[in-house]
Amino acid sequence: MNTKLLIILLFVCGTVWAQVPQLELTPNGFEQVSYEIPPTDGGKFTDLSKAWVTELKRRQEKFDISNISGSSLVISGLEKNAFFYRSRGETFQHTVKLVMDINFTSTGYTLKITIPEIYANGDSLSEYTLPDYFDSKGNLKEGYDGLKPSIENTVNDIALNFYNFITNYR
């Protein structure tokens, strides 16, 4: 009896703590990821996405939703302090324009996050893009300690927040 109870408990805990897909930074940006969601029709998914953007705006975050169709939409905005790196003992923080291209069905969605603009020193547009921080072999260039984990944490926090909103308020 105790063995069966332990197996059930492990299964339930594993299901509860199952992780959603994680976005990982590559020299070419972030790869597309897919999420499964409980059955949700397209209109409801769009309404929930609009509500999520409204919540971000209430928190003074500058995000908008656009290009809405029956199976896709785009959410974009500025994310302050999206990543940092340390070079020679100094820390540099950057704001980014983040674009979430979302294609959805009734049981899931794919998410492609791109970062077309990077801002330094407040609102000064940088000439760098994410691939510029990598060398020709695909390794992060020297002097950018902390960049990869900090940008991955930022985009994964946003992706998880969106996922939780969609799945919890459907």
Side-chain angles (χ1 to χ4, degrees):
M1 181 71 170
N2 286 340
T3 305
K4 289 180 184 178
L5 184 60
L6 181 61
I7 291 172
I8 291 171
L9 181 62
L10 288 173
F11 177 74
V12 169
C13 289
T15 303
V16 169
W17 287 311
Q19 293 188 359
V20 296
Q22 296 289 299
L23 293 142
E24 184 176 342
L25 181 63
T26 70
N28 297 319
F30 291 95
E31 297 294 321
Q32 177 174 294
V33 293
S34 296
Y35 298 88
E36 291 182 20
I37 59 173
T40 307
D41 69 49
K44 182 69 172 176
F45 188 92
T46 299
D47 290 344
L48 288 169
S49 298
K50 288 177 181 178
W52 183 71
V53 169
T54 300
E55 284 297 315
L56 293 177
K57 287 181 178 183
R58 285 187 185 141
R59 289 187 264 159
Q60 305 303 313
E61 295 187 44
K62 298 176 181 179
F63 277 78
D64 289 304
I65 190 167
S66 63
N67 300 342
I68 299 170
S69 74
S71 63
S72 67
L73 53 88
V74 174
I75 298 172
S76 58
L78 294 177
E79 185 67 24
K80 291 185 178 190
N81 301 322
F83 73 90
F84 69 90
Y85 57 86
R86 291 184 183 91
S87 181
R88 299 181 185 147
E90 192 173 348
T91 300
F92 300 89
Q93 302 242 356
H94 294 278
T95 296
V96 300
K97 179 177 183 181
L98 186 129
V99 179
M100 301 169 60
D101 286 304
I102 302 168
N103 292 297
F104 53 90
T105 66
S106 62
T107 59
Y109 66 94
T110 58
L111 171 65
K112 174 73 175 164
I113 292 184
T114 55
I115 298 178
E117 298 172 2
I118 298 173
Y119 296 89
N121 300 326
D123 61 353
S124 175
L125 183 61
S126 173
E127 293 180 18
Y128 270 55
T129 61
L130 283 179
D132 294 326
Y133 293 100
F134 290 87
D135 63 22
S136 60
K137 294 180 182 178
N139 299 315
L140 205 56
K141 291 178 181 176
E142 188 176 325
Y144 296 112
D145 298 334
L147 184 147
K148 189 174 189 301
S150 65
I151 191 70
E152 286 177 350
N153 285 339
T154 297
V155 297
N156 281 302
D157 285 349
I158 291 168
L160 181 60
N161 186 289
F162 180 76
Y163 172 81
N164 286 338
F165 193 91
I166 295 296
T167 58
N168 290 333
Y169 294 102
R170 60 176 186 78

